[in-house]
């Protein structure tokens, strides 16, 4: 992912490539993904090469906060089920939540492997392994990389967490979302609450990033009726 922070983007990217090439050794490729149009225009002044990748999903924030109408009937029903069957507490992420969030990631990862991959989807397994390091870093020092998060608790146990950042003053980007898959509707409830919080803070649009080329994730993101798809580059 692109480096986050207050430094000039092209300076940070040059340093990132230097570090990646040092770490990657003889690998023919060091890459940064999820580069959008304005960022690409800045970076094209250097010697980076670009290729297109899966587009980002951009949604109208108010629509996802309300989930009104027949097109959101199934998501709304799942949210209502969670509220009917469970007592939920939401807290801003703090350092003392880290252990519980790491335990949840391990649970979620095993659920994903058993419920979706069935031992055959090598891309899905690789993405899970790749994501673990990123989640651990975010849970260790989210402020340093410019992310803020929240955790969801049921009976004192962390069952979901989310992290994101302001991509623009009006666009909230959902960077990470994890929910215990054994709680039916929890993922949908978390996404709706994330959008509600963003709207209350001034968001007009929600960027949910790309679908990583995974058919299940693509289907889920399309079901929320994206306003548009944003071109994306590696």
């Amino acid at each position: 992912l692109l480096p986050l922070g207050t430094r000039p983007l092209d300076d940070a990217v040059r340093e990132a490539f230097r570090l990646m090439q040092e770490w990657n050794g003889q690998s023919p490729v060091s890459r940064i993904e999820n580069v959008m149009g304005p960022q690409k225009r800045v970076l094209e002044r250097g010697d980076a090469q670009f290729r297109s990748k899966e587009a980002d999903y951009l949604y109208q924030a108010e629509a996802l906060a309300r989930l009104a109408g027949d097109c959101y009937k199934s998501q709304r029903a799942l949210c209502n089920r969670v509220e009917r069957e469970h007592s939920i507490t939401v807290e801003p992420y703090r350092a003392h939540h880290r252990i519980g969030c790491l335990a949840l990631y391990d649970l979620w990862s095993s659920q994903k492997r058993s419920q979706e991959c069935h031992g055959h989807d090598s891309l899905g397994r690789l993405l899970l392994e790749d994501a673990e390091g990123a989640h651990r870093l975010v849970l260790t020092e989210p402020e340093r990389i410019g992310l803020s998060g929240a955790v969801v608790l049921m009976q004192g146990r962390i069952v979901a967490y989310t992290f994101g950042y302001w991509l623009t003053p009006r666009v909230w980007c959902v960077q990470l979302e994890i929910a215990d898959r054994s709680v039916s509707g929890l993922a949908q409830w978390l996404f709706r609450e994330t959008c509600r919080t963003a709207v209350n803070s001034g968001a007009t649009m929600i960027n949910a990033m790309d679908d990583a080329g995974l058919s299940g994730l693509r289907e889920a993101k399309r079901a929320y009726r994206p306003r548009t798809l944003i071109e994306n580059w590696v």
Side-chain angles (χ1 to χ4, degrees), residues 42-152:
V42 172
L43 299 176
E44 280 178 325
R45 297 195 293 260
D47 57 0
Q49 301 175 34
F50 294 87
R51 68 171 175 81
S52 61
K53 70 181 296 282
E54 296 84 6
D56 277 8
Y57 290 75
L58 191 70
Y59 305 89
Q60 200 162 18
E62 184 67 30
L64 299 192
R66 294 176 62 235
L67 293 182
D70 287 344
C71 63
Y72 294 116
K73 182 178 179 180
S74 62
Q75 294 97 328
R76 189 168 64 249
L78 287 166
C79 292
N80 292 339
R81 178 178 177 179
V82 170
E83 292 181 337
R84 186 172 61 249
E85 296 181 353
H86 303 281
S87 177
I88 304 172
T89 303
V90 180
E91 298 179 0
Y93 177 80
R94 297 291 182 261
H96 69 270
H97 293 126
R98 181 175 180 272
I99 293 176
C101 287
L102 288 172
L104 174 63
Y105 182 86
D106 290 341
L107 172 65
W108 175 83
S109 181
S110 66
Q111 291 170 336
K112 291 277 285 185
R113 287 186 173 92
S114 62
Q115 294 176 19
E116 289 187 353
C117 294
H118 303 298
H120 302 296
D121 186 351
S122 59
L123 175 60
R125 291 199 308 275
L126 288 170
L127 288 173
L128 285 173
E129 293 169 5
D130 196 45
E132 183 178 359
H135 281 254
R136 288 183 179 275
L137 178 61
V138 168
L139 292 168
T140 301
E141 40 191 351
E143 296 87 359
R144 189 173 71 85
I145 53 179
L147 300 179
S148 61
V151 298
V152 178

Side-chain angles (χ1 to χ4, degrees), residues 213-224:
L214 299 174
S215 58
L217 188 55
R218 182 184 308 116
E219 190 175 310
K221 291 193 174 187
R222 287 181 176 175
Y224 277 95

